[in-house]
Each structure stands twice: as structure tokens, then as C-alpha cells.
């Protein structure tokens, strides 16, 4: 039984200017202890798909899925009470901006102990000991006295460690990290990623890492799912994806990596991810794809087989054969 299994997930938002499909038929499978990276540019629906799993989307969102299960439990059918007992305990999520996720009015110690009180039912002394232990575990120096500080008295990196400590406080089986290092400087980024991977190894939890950074993916993940405009366009083990991407969007993302650059100017992908009003009729990547033809513009593609990374493209074979150059 998979830890997380999602089939054909779609999310539509009701907006002042009509319905907007932010996630379109996405599948995600995660096994116990596995590290899956979800990559894609801003606006590709990475966060919304995981917020749907966590039940954290606003009322304007309509979620549909053929299956959305956690350890075999159907997340679409559980009561709000059951959901509250799972979220923050068995399933936890950390966000990009620690300062906007922590409550500025309470000390970080109060916030972590509150999670331990509600989910683990620990008494005051046990909560305090566990909070110190967690701060030590995530590398916060002088843990006991740090419990009494407010978020604004700590650096961004330390606050992100507090967020991680809170997320792992109840030994979650699944941790979703939504661009956990984007707001941090490069040296701290590496420390936070190392910390997440170490915790994954120690606690054997499933980890979903949402990022737009292919460099981070190369260093951390085991499997990669590439999302574009709300759709999954390719999925492969990380080594295979870097060696042989099948979807032109994946190839373009990889070509934009500085270490793969063949000239002084890094290649970019022209244009932007389509929004509510400029969604193409056929392949959503077609307006930006160098291989797109009339068929791509008119007809939505269906995914290829697993041997071709389930690439959502009409021309995988022809591109490989060099017929579309
Ligand atoms: N509450 C909302 N109402 C309407 N549209 C929304 C809402 N939340 C997100 N969206 C839209 O859904 C799309 C996908 O957003 P999402 O945040 O999942 O993208 P992302 O791939 O995670 O990007 P980023 O890297 O910037 O977080 C975007 O076009 C966004 O504007």
C-alpha cells in the first residue's frame, strides 16, 4: 500500500472572472520513506495540488479526484474531525516563508508545545522536554532558552528550522516541503536541505519537495514529477530524467541549468505559464515549445508509457528520432 496515492486530481477556483483550473488531472504516488520532487515554474499548480491533499484550500476551490488516499484512507471521504487528527500529525507541511507561517504573537516554544499538546496529549514537562529535543534535532543552538523567543527575534534560517521542528514534532509519516529554502540565502539553503534529508532517513518518512530549482532536485530527490500549467508533463527517477528527458519542457528546464550551459548566456524558455485567459486549446506548452505544430495547437496530448516518462507530448518519438529539429 502506497503512503500517498492520488489519481486524476483537479482543482478549480471560482474567481470574479469565472472558473480557473489550477490543477488538471494530476497523479502522484509516494511510498514510505521516499523522496519525490515536484518541479515546475511559478504557477504550475505545485502548491495547490499539495494544499488540496492537506485540505488547506479556501472554499472557492473545487477539488475532484478519482482517488486521494493516505495509507489507504480515502481523504475525500474523511470527516473534518478525522482530517484534523491526521493533518499536522501524520501529514505535515512546511512553507516557503517561515515568518508568515509562524504566529508573531506567541513564542516559538509555545507554538511547538501547542502542537504536542493537541496531537500527542503530552503533559507540560514532557512537552517542554520534547520541544528542547526537537530544537536540538533541527540544529537550533541553545535550544532551551530559544523556546522563549518570538519569531521576529530569530533569523529566517532559524525560523525555518522552527517550522521544520513543528512539522516533525508528531513524527509525521509524510512531510510536504513547499519551497522550504527559497527565502533563505544559499549556505542556509544547503543546511536546510541536508536537514530534511537526514530527518527523512532517520524517521523513514515520505518527503515531497516542491521546488522550481532543478539543481536542488539533482542533489536530493529520488523521483521527479514535472508539472506545467497544472498538468504533470513527465515523471522519472532523478538519474533517468537528467540523462534522458522526454518532454520538451523538461529538456528546456534542464538546459537552463548553469552547469549545462554551452554559452555565456543561459538559455531561457520564452513566454510564461498560461493563466486563466490564455490557456491554449491543445498542448498547454505548445505556445512556448520549439517543436510545436498544428496538432499540438489543436489537440490535447495523452501521456506516453512509463518507459518514456509518461511524457505528455504528441511528438516524443519524432523528437527522439531527430525528425522535429
Ligand atoms: N486561492 C486562489 N484563487 C485563485 N487562483 C489561485 C488561488 N491559489 C492559487 N491560484 C492560482 O493557481 C495557479 C497555481 O498556483 P500554485 O501556487 O500552485 O503554483 P506553483 O506552481 O506552486 O507556483 P509557485 O512556485 O509560485 O508557488 C496559479 O495560477 C495561481 O495564481
Amino acid at each position: 500500500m502506497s503512503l500517498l496515492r492520488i489519481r486524476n486530481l483537479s482543482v478549480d477556483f471560482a474567481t470574479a472572472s469565472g472558473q480557473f483550473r489550477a490543477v488538471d488531472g494530476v497523479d502522484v504516488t509516494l511510498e514510505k520513506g521516499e523522496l519525490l520532487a515536484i518541479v515546475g515554474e511559478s504557477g504550475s499548480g505545485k502548491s495547490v495540488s499539495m494544499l488540496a491533499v492537506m485540505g488547506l484550500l479556501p472554499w472557492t476551490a473545487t477539488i475532484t479526484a478519482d482517488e486521494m488516499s493516505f495509507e489507504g484512507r480515502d481523504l475525500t471521504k474523511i470527516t473534518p474531525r478525522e482530517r484534523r487528527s491526521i493533518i499536522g500529525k501524520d501529514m505535515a507541511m512546511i512553507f516557503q516563508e517561515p515568518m508568515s507561517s509562524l504566529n508573531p504573537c506567541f513564542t516559538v516554544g509555545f507554538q511547538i508545545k501547542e502542537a504536542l499538546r493537541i496531537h500527542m496529549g503530552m503533559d507540560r514537562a514532557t512537552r517542554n522536554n520534547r520541544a528542547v529535543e526537537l530544537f536540538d534535532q533541527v540544529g537550533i543552538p541553545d535550544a532551551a532558552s530559544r523556546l522563549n523567543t518570538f519569531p521576529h527575534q530569530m533569523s529566517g534560517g532559524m525560523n525555518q528550522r522552527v517550522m521544520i521542528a513543528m512539522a516533525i514534532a508528531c513524527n509525521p509519516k509524510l512531510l510536504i516541503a513547499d519551497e522550504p529554502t527559497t527565502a533563505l540565502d544559499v549556505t542556509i539553503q544547503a543546511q536546510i536541505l541536508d536537514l530534511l534529508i537526514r530527518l527523512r532517513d532517520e524517521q523513514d518518512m515520505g518527503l515531497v519537495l516542491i521546488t522550481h530549482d532543478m539543481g536542488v532536485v539533482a542533489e536530493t530527490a529520488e523521483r521527479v514529477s514535472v508539472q506545467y500549467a497544472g498538468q504533470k508533463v513527465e515523471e522519472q527517477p532523478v538519474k533517468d530524467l537528467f540523462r534522458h528527458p522526454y518532454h520538451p519542457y523538461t529538456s528546456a528546464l534542464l538546459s537552463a541549468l548553469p552547469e549545462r550551459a554551452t554559452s555565456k548566456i543561459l538559455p531561457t524558455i520564452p513566454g510564461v505559464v498560461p493563466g486563466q485567459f490564455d490557456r491554449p486549446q491543445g498542448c498547454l506548452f505548445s505556445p512556448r515549445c520549439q517543436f510545436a505544430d498544428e496538432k499540438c495547437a489543436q489537440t490535447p496530448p495523452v501521456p506516453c508509457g512509463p518507459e518514456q516518462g509518461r511524457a505528455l507530448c504528441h511528438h516524443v518519438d519524432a523528437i527522439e528520432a531527430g525528425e522535429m529539429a
Side-chain angles (χ1 to χ4, degrees), residues 13 15 20 22 41-48 58 60 96 179 212:
F13 285 108
T15 70
F20 170 59
E41 283 162 284
S42 195
S44 50
K46 308 181 295 293
S47 305
V48 170
T60 49
Q96 193 174 123
E179 312 217 2
H212 55 251

Side-chain angles (χ1 to χ4, degrees), residues 1-5 32 69-74 90 173:
M1 183 177 46
S2 299
L3 185 65
L4 183 69
R5 200 174 137 86
K32 194 171 171 247
S69 63
F70 174 71
E71 289 192 305
R73 287 175 78 178
D74 187 343
D90 295 331
K173 295 170 182 161

Side-chain angles (χ1 to χ4, degrees), residues 6 14 18 28 30 34 38 47 54 59 67 110-111 113 132 151 155 160 162 166 168 173 235 253 276 282 294 309:
I6 299 170
V28 180
L30 185 77
E34 196 185 12
I38 304 182
S47 305
M54 296 288 286
W59 63 271
E67 181 180 353
F110 175 84
Q111 296 184 57
K113 284 186 251 179
V132 172
S155 67
Q160 192 57 292
V162 171
M166 284 173 72
I168 61 162
K173 295 170 182 161
E235 179 166 348
L253 282 180
Q276 185 175 1
E294 198 47 35

